[in-house]
Amino acid sequence: MNRDLTVDDLLYAGIPLASGLLAAFALRILLRWLGGHADRTRWSGDDVIVHALRAVVPWAAVVGGVAGAAAVLPLTRTVQHTTNQVLTVLLIFVATVSVARVVTGLVRTVTQSRSGVAGSATIFVNITRILVLAIGFLVVLQTLGISIAPLLTALGVGGLAVALALQDTLANLFAGIHILASKTVQPGDYIKLSSGEEGYVEDINWRQTTIRNLSNNLIVLPNGQLAQANMTNFMRPEEQLTILVQVGVAYDSDLEHVERVTNEVIAETMNEVEGAVPDHEPIIRFHTFGDSRIGFTVILGVGEFSDQYRIKHEFIKRLHKRYRAEGIRIPAPARTVALQQGSVGIPQQRTGEIEPGGLSPARFD
């Protein structure tokens, strides 16, 4: 159109614009109500979807209102086309960001709700977000009339050079994906490496694995090093494990009485100490006639790796107290040294006689 702008044009343009703003306001209230309803459900995926819709739907209504107003106004074909392209790009951008939030949120929800999947690992979330944003970027280019075929060709050729330059980074990336896909290590597992590092796995991202040890310090390892290391996972195939406590009693002890008292202390500890497994059958096995004691092993069940220290602490205290009350002795290690009858003389050097080693032979009087 080439005619001048009139008041009627502004009134007509204001109707779709006001309608878009009113629709955005109404949709925002509706989505807020849906968000409150989603908070009361057990599934967290609906929270993610509603949160993403609250970001894209009101903006879509506003963009629709602006597009309707632009269609009514007497704009030239060039300005109209430019306006439509800008609004379309804006709408695609908002939709892409919202879709990225929904998909990454659902991925995070699935990984946190299923055992054996990467609970808090960011590697899958980051890869998903990058893929969605890349697709949105390509859609924007296609909308603007820019051919993406040469771009994809250039990316394919340049990707080879980038892969050669980033061998270590890509190796860590694929090592992290392999670790998570094979389910050998997941965030939350307690692991110990052959090199000595141990602790709870905090996260596995695109380059490195973060481990928090029991002293609350962070250990950062490249994924490639973790994939190649000899490792013990104390959470696989299950979190519950057994611990061994070595005990010894005097030779004059009644072993039947010792076993009965020890079982009573085990039952008390398993039922009262946090982290113990009351259903685990206690096991006592005598195994050694030592120098000063009869040794046996007590096998206890614990919920997970770090619980063993508290359970051992409580069990040993209670067992020692009960043994003292029952008159069961835990002898200290002793050594008996037999001496030859007579006095012991100090080795002295003989005059004129030196042994090849430089010292004279010992002489006992």
Side-chain angles (χ1 to χ4, degrees):
M1 298 180 183
N2 295 324
R3 64 182 179 83
D4 295 334
L5 187 66
T6 63
V7 177
D8 293 338
D9 294 331
L10 294 178
L11 291 176
Y12 292 146
I15 294 175
L17 182 60
S19 300
L21 294 174
L22 183 61
F25 180 73
L27 289 171
R28 188 172 183 84
I29 294 177
L30 176 62
L31 290 172
R32 182 177 299 176
W33 176 81
L34 289 176
H37 182 71
D39 291 338
R40 295 189 292 270
T41 61
R42 298 180 59 183
W43 185 51
S44 58
D46 52 1
D47 298 333
V48 176
I49 296 174
V50 172
H51 178 71
L53 291 177
R54 290 176 63 179
V56 65
V57 172
W59 279 105
V62 173
V63 171
V66 174
V72 172
L73 292 175
L75 304 176
T76 62
R77 181 174 299 177
T78 303
V79 175
Q80 184 74 38
H81 179 70
T82 303
T83 302
N84 291 335
Q85 279 193 330
V86 171
L87 294 176
T88 303
V89 169
L90 178 61
L91 186 59
I92 293 174
F93 173 76
V94 174
T96 301
V97 173
S98 300
V99 171
R101 288 181 180 178
V102 171
V103 175
T104 56
L106 292 177
V107 169
R108 185 180 290 108
T109 300
V110 171
T111 56
Q112 289 177 350
S113 62
R114 296 179 59 187
S115 60
V117 187
S120 63
T122 59
I123 183 170
F124 292 137
V125 174
N126 290 335
I127 291 176
T128 304
R129 182 184 293 112
I130 292 173
L131 288 176
V132 174
L133 294 178
I135 293 173
F137 177 71
L138 294 177
V139 172
V140 168
L141 293 181
Q142 192 70 29
T143 303
L144 295 176
I146 301 175
S147 178
I148 63 175
L151 178 61
L152 295 177
T153 303
L155 290 176
V157 176
L160 179 60
V162 173
L164 293 175
L166 300 176
Q167 292 185 24
D168 293 339
T169 302
L170 293 177
N172 289 324
L173 172 63
F174 288 110
I177 295 176
H178 169 71
I179 290 172
L180 293 174
S182 63
K183 301 180 183 180
T184 55
V185 179
Q186 301 294 326
D189 290 353
Y190 191 96
I191 63 173
K192 183 176 182 180
L193 305 181
S194 57
S195 53
E197 296 89 351
E198 62 178 293
Y200 289 97
V201 178
E202 288 282 310
D203 192 18
I204 303 176
N205 57 31
W206 62 275
R207 184 180 181 277
Q208 61 199 19
T209 299
T210 305
I211 301 173
R212 184 181 298 274
N213 59 22
L214 295 180
S215 59
N216 207 32
N217 296 320
L218 293 180
I219 304 172
V220 179
L221 293 173
N223 292 334
Q225 180 178 342
L226 180 64
Q228 297 175 2
N230 295 327
M231 174 184 59
T232 302
N233 191 336
F234 292 95
M235 299 292 192
R236 306 288 169 176
E238 59 182 11
E239 292 188 11
Q240 294 185 5
L241 68 154
T242 57
I243 58 174
L244 308 182
V245 181
Q246 304 298 331
V247 189
V249 294
Y251 272 93
D252 57 358
S253 302
D254 181 354
L255 297 187
E256 295 292 338
H257 180 57
V258 170
E259 185 174 7
R260 183 173 61 255
V261 171
T262 305
N263 274 319
E264 293 175 358
V265 176
I266 293 174
E268 177 186 340
T269 304
M270 292 293 100
N271 289 302
E272 297 180 4
V273 179
E274 181 183 0
V277 182
D279 297 336
H280 183 271
E281 182 181 358
I283 300 176
I284 300 174
R285 292 293 182 266
F286 294 95
H287 55 73
T288 304
F289 287 102
D291 293 336
S292 58
R293 65 181 67 190
I294 297 176
F296 62 94
T297 299
V298 178
I299 303 177
L300 306 175
V302 298
E304 60 105 2
F305 184 82
S306 62
D307 293 333
Q308 62 176 305
Y309 304 105
R310 178 174 58 256
I311 294 171
K312 282 184 179 180
H313 169 78
E314 289 294 331
F315 174 70
I316 291 176
K317 285 199 311 180
R318 298 180 185 210
L319 188 66
H320 181 261
K321 180 179 179 180
R322 184 67 184 277
Y323 277 6
R324 293 185 64 182
E326 297 288 338
I328 300 174
R329 292 193 306 111
I330 304 178
R335 295 291 185 273
T336 302
V337 180
L339 298 178
Q340 184 179 358
Q341 184 177 5
S343 60
V344 178
I346 300 176
Q348 297 180 354
Q349 179 177 333
R350 294 182 180 179
T351 305
E353 296 184 8
I354 303 296
E355 290 295 312
L359 297 176
S360 62
R363 183 180 63 190
F364 297 92
D365 297 329

